[in-house]
Amino acid sequence: MAFSFLPTMIVDSVTDLTPEFLTNRGIKLLMLDFDNTIVPYTTDIPTQKMEQWLRNMQNSQVKICVVSNSKNDRVKIFCNQYGIDCITHAKKPFPKGIRECLSKYHLSPEKCALAGDQIYTDTMGARGCGVQAILVNAIHNHNIWLKLRHVAELPFIFIARNRRILK
């Protein structure tokens, strides 16, 4: 598949992705990064807006599955609490977790998207597997490493914003 640092689309928050928006783009499965996409690294408690979005997605035709690099049980506990499928130890940007998810749902990559806050893991992993890559703003870059990573991603975000229809 294609190697690319450029997301297919960019949105402010994962909550901007409505079932209608995704369905209109042929997406039947939305894979979600966990940390800084659904909740900040520093908590397991979603905002009320995020909780409502999760319920709306679960009541739609678009399936959702968390695909996280985390090895921490907090991802599994959260997903179990909210009734969401999850794959941990995904090893993004490598294809392991994304391919596992595609296989689980028996869908071709063209009908799937992965939403996450990091270009070097989420976007690269999605694009490498032929899955649409949706870059979302990180919920909270709470330490210097996350802030520096974001600065390193800015050139790719700038290029993507100028080359694609992003909303």
Side-chain angles (χ1 to χ4, degrees):
M1 295 291 162
F3 172 82
S4 180
F5 291 107
L6 300 179
T8 311
M9 58 186 101
I10 300 173
V11 296
D12 289 334
S13 169
V14 74
T15 58
D16 293 335
L17 300 171
T18 65
E20 297 78 22
F21 177 90
L22 297 167
T23 302
N24 288 341
R25 284 156 179 79
I27 297 169
K28 296 182 180 290
L29 169 66
L30 179 62
M31 295 177 238
L32 298 163
D33 179 47
F34 185 71
D35 288 311
N36 254 355
T37 299
I38 297 175
V39 294
Y41 283 98
T42 55
T43 184
D44 297 339
I45 302 167
T47 63
Q48 188 173 12
K49 183 176 181 179
M50 181 61 71
E51 277 192 75
Q52 182 62 48
W53 181 84
L54 289 169
R55 281 193 295 276
N56 289 344
M57 290 303 295
Q58 288 170 316
N59 293 325
S60 77
Q61 296 297 315
V62 178
K63 303 295 180 204
I64 58 173
C65 180
V66 169
V67 178
S68 174
N69 284 352
S70 180
K71 297 173 184 159
N72 192 314
D73 285 340
R74 69 190 267 278
V75 176
K76 291 179 183 178
I77 292 167
F78 178 95
C79 289
N80 187 46
Q81 180 180 351
Y82 286 92
I84 303 167
D85 285 337
C86 77
I87 294 167
T88 56
H89 303 80
K91 301 185 188 276
K92 297 173 293 184
F94 300 105
K96 177 196 172 288
I98 296 168
R99 285 190 182 153
E100 185 179 332
C101 190
L102 292 170
S103 177
K104 180 177 186 167
Y105 285 91
H106 308 289
L107 289 168
S108 63
E110 303 80 36
K111 296 181 180 181
C112 303
L114 188 150
D117 68 302
Q118 294 187 48
I119 285 179
Y120 300 116
T121 55
D122 304 313
T123 296
M124 283 181 60
R127 295 296 301 268
C129 289
V131 171
Q132 295 182 52
I134 304 171
L135 183 66
V136 301
N137 291 333
I139 294 172
H140 180 56
N141 286 327
H142 68 281
N143 65 38
I144 189 67
W145 304 114
L146 293 174
K147 290 174 184 170
L148 288 172
R149 185 214 70 224
H150 178 70
V151 169
E153 293 175 341
L154 286 175
F156 303 111
I157 293 168
F158 177 79
I159 293 167
R161 285 194 191 277
N162 288 307
R163 291 181 65 194
R164 302 187 187 289
I165 299 170
L166 301 171
K167 282 203 175 193

